[in-house]
């Protein structure tokens, strides 16, 4: 039996990745470490995957996958093998919270093997003193939930992802919103979605969708010519990959992260800078031949670097296969 710890079932990318793993591994039980006793109504979880809030399920489990620092207290709770799955340097979300910082530090320096999804996260773990085996993989896209579509674009619609920051690692200066405001003044149509309401700033966009359904997300990606996403730090965000399934190219601004996004190949990316983000977005909107090439590359990327590709490697690591040669150490 495999147990995966999960810090609740709110609809965001990190939780989706844990659930995607659960759907693709054998005999999985999810240990919900949040106080809420619920299930992911927004995600198509395989009926064979069990959910519990009792940590006793760990005792005797073949493999325990700790999916976030919320579950680090269970790292030596009795599983035959424990793996840390690091999706982000999570202390950046709440850097002033001493208790959270300690939990994150324990996670980064755990003596158990770790799987992570961002090269910069590996470098930072080393700075914290990590010495245990560490492996690098990526995320795929669920092509059943986000099917490939090459529907033509109008060249005028811009999708702004998460305009309101949810934590200190996100777009705390709201440069994405400011760029969208500039583009709207240039005559482009701005549609947007996010987990937090825009409230008084909703007049800066033409449409805003709070916690959109899967169907609505697909509609937004299909409708948008490009997507704008700005954050200070991300490990491997899911939204740009989901948008790729519709040939929607991302103008990306961030300090570190998103190893899938290659400037001039499947996106235009810059540092966390408003002027650069605007210039890249405007270039995508006005240079149709460039946008078309990047759009084609996006669809190629999500088809090649699929969940099937990554899960073969993840299983090699989890089941300690002798051919698992992904260690970064």
């Amino acid at each position: 039996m495999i147990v995966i710890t999960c810090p609740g079932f709110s609809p965001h990318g990190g939780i989706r990745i844990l659930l995607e793993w659960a759907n693709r591994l054998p005999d999985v039980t999810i240990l919900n470490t949040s106080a809420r006793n619920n299930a992911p109504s927004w995600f198509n979880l395989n009926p064979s995957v069990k959910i519990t809030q009792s940590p006793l399920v760990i005792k005797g489990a073949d493999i325990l996958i700790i999916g976030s620092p919320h579950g680090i207290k269970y790292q030596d709770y009795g599983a035959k093998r424990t793996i840390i799955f690091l999706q982000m340097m999570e202390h950046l979300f709440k850097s002033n919270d001493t208790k959270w910082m300690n939990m994150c530090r324990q996670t980064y320096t755990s003596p158990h093997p770790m799987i992570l999804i961002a090269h910069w996260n590996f470098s930072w773990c080393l700075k914290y003193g990590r010495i245990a085996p560490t492996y690098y993989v990526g995320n795929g896209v669920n092509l059943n939930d986000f099917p490939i579509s090459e529907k033509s674009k109008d060249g005028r619609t811009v999708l702004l992802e998460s305009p309101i920051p949810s934590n200190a690692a996100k777009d705390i200066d709201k440069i994405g919103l400011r760029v969208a405001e500039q583009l709207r003044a240039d005559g482009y149509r701005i549609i947007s979605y996010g987990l937090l309401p825009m409230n008084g700033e909703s007049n800066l966009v033409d449409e805003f969708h709070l916690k959109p359904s899967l169907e609505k997300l697909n509609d937004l990606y299909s409708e948008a010519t490009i997507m704008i996403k700005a954050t200070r730090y991300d490990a491997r965000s899911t939204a740009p990959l989901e948008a790729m399934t519709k040939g929607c190219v991302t103008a990306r601004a961030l300090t570190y992260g998103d190893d899938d996004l290659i400037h001039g190949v499947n996106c235009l990316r810059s540092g966390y800078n408003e002027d650069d983000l605007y210039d890249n977005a405007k270039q995508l909107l006005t240079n149709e031949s460039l946008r078309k090439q990047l759009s084609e590359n996006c669809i190629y990327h999500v088809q090649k670097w699929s969940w099937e590709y990554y899960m073969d490697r993840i299983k090699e690591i989890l089941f300690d296969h002798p051919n698992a040669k992904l260690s970064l150490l």
Side-chain angles (χ1 to χ4, degrees):
M1 178 179 64
I2 297 173
V3 175
I4 301 176
T5 71
C6 187
F9 297 118
S10 61
H12 65 73
I15 300 298
R16 170 177 277 279
I17 298 307
L18 291 175
L19 299 180
E20 295 285 2
W21 277 38
N23 271 358
R24 290 168 171 77
L25 293 171
D27 193 14
V28 170
T29 296
I30 295 175
L31 174 58
N32 176 9
T33 59
S34 78
R36 297 185 62 186
N37 183 14
N38 59 358
S41 59
W42 52 275
F43 183 86
N44 296 316
L45 193 64
N46 288 344
S48 61
V49 176
K50 307 174 192 69
I51 299 174
T52 184
Q53 287 188 293
S54 172
L56 294 177
V57 73
I58 296 172
K59 296 186 181 297
D62 296 297
I63 299 173
L64 169 64
I65 301 171
I66 295 178
S68 80
H70 301 84
I72 194 61
K73 63 184 177 182
Y74 300 122
Q75 66 174 326
D76 297 311
Y77 209 69
K80 295 176 184 175
R81 190 161 191 251
T82 296
I83 303 286
I84 309 298
F85 178 32
L86 186 72
Q87 295 201 61
M88 178 59 177
M89 303 303 293
E90 296 205 33
H91 71 282
L92 294 171
F93 297 153
K94 299 183 290 185
S95 58
N96 294 324
D97 185 328
T98 302
K99 181 179 178 182
W100 179 246
M101 285 290 294
N102 288 336
M103 292 164 65
C104 291
R105 188 175 291 106
Q106 290 178 55
T107 302
Y108 306 154
T109 60
S110 171
H112 298 286
M114 173 185 285
I115 298 174
L116 46 68
I117 58 175
H119 282 111
W120 75 273
N121 284 186
F122 174 62
S123 299
W124 280 39
C125 282
L126 290 182
K127 292 177 182 177
Y128 271 89
R130 179 164 185 79
I131 58 175
T134 306
Y135 301 86
Y136 173 83
V137 301
N139 297 328
V141 179
N142 187 325
L143 296 182
N144 291 318
D145 286 351
F146 298 97
I148 299 292
S149 171
E150 298 185 56
K151 175 184 174 182
S152 62
K153 311 290 187 176
D154 63 10
R156 308 298 300 171
T157 301
V158 176
L159 176 60
L160 172 62
E161 195 264 359
S162 297
I164 306 303
S166 57
N167 60 65
K170 303 303 182 182
D171 188 9
I172 58 172
D173 297 324
K174 298 184 180 177
I175 67 172
L177 184 56
R178 294 207 296 268
V179 166
E181 187 179 8
Q182 292 180 68
L183 291 173
R184 194 176 187 218
D186 292 340
Y188 295 96
R189 178 170 171 260
I190 308 299
I191 58 178
S192 182
Y193 78 87
L195 292 176
L196 297 178
M198 293 189 70
N199 297 325
E201 294 168 306
S202 59
N203 63 316
L204 301 180
V205 301
D206 295 287
E207 289 180 18
F208 177 73
H209 301 272
L210 180 65
K211 299 179 182 179
S213 66
L214 180 62
E215 181 181 9
K216 175 53 70 174
L217 271 179
N218 276 287
D219 288 345
L220 294 172
Y221 294 141
S222 294
E223 186 177 2
T225 301
I226 68 167
M227 184 169 76
I228 293 173
K229 182 172 176 63
T231 52
R232 296 171 68 212
Y233 305 101
D234 261 309
R236 213 176 191 111
S237 51
T238 57
L241 294 179
E242 294 165 2
M244 282 185 186
T245 66
K246 308 300 185 288
C248 177
V249 184
T250 298
R252 185 69 164 104
L254 77 170
T255 306
Y256 296 116
D258 283 8
D259 295 355
D260 292 295
L261 299 186
I262 304 169
H263 179 76
V265 176
N266 56 22
C267 73
L268 291 183
R269 63 181 289 167
S270 67
Y272 184 66
N273 179 277
E274 180 180 345
D275 292 338
D276 292 341
L277 179 59
Y278 173 80
D279 289 345
N280 282 338
K282 200 64 182 286
Q283 184 178 2
L284 287 174
L285 289 164
T286 57
N287 189 334
E288 186 175 357
S289 61
L290 171 65
R291 188 176 72 241
K292 183 176 184 295
Q293 183 59 60
L294 299 189
S295 178
E296 292 173 355
N297 292 347
C298 284
I299 291 176
Y300 172 80
H301 181 95
V302 291
Q303 290 177 317
K304 179 179 181 180
W305 306 104
S306 64
W307 270 122
E308 288 70 28
Y309 174 88
Y310 283 120
M311 285 310 299
D312 285 346
R313 286 144 183 80
I314 290 165
K315 288 175 182 178
E316 284 185 354
I317 300 165
L318 292 179
F319 303 126
D320 202 20
H321 194 281
N323 292 329
K325 299 177 181 179
L326 303 182
S327 179
L328 294 172
L329 290 175

